[in-house]
Amino acid sequence: NININDKFRFINELFSSNSTEYNIAIEQLNSANSKEDAMAYFKGLKGIYLWKDDNELVKTLNALIEKRFS
């Protein structure tokens, strides 16, 4: 579950204020059949949006993915 504050921070900071792109990404992550599939998609997002591994929000999103599949 993504709280409302994180949702707006993700949209604004990770998806350049594009809520449509955020919604598509979350839908894809939620529909992943395995942690490996979700992490592969997440890695692709990091490449597309040039997210840095040390970014707090990238770490938060990664942790949410890990938690979902644990």
Side-chain angles (χ1 to χ4, degrees):
N1 290 337
I2 298 174
N3 71 44
I4 194 75
N5 290 332
D6 283 343
K7 176 181 177 178
F8 285 113
R9 289 182 68 205
F10 290 152
I11 291 169
N12 292 329
E13 297 178 37
L14 296 183
F15 292 92
S16 303
S17 300
N18 188 328
S19 62
T20 302
E21 292 294 322
Y22 165 82
N23 288 329
I24 291 168
I26 296 303
E27 183 177 314
Q28 290 295 315
L29 289 167
N30 282 334
S31 67
N33 293 321
S34 68
K35 179 179 170 181
E36 292 75 22
D37 289 348
M39 294 310 288
Y41 184 76
F42 179 63
K43 183 177 181 181
L45 289 173
K46 289 187 341 186
I48 292 167
Y49 292 102
L50 305 175
W51 297 340
K52 305 282 188 227
D53 286 330
D54 62 349
N55 179 302
E56 173 192 341
L57 288 176
V58 172
K59 290 179 183 180
T60 300
L61 185 54
N62 185 65
L64 289 168
I65 295 167
E66 294 275 350
K67 182 179 177 182
R68 183 183 187 290
F69 288 97
S70 63

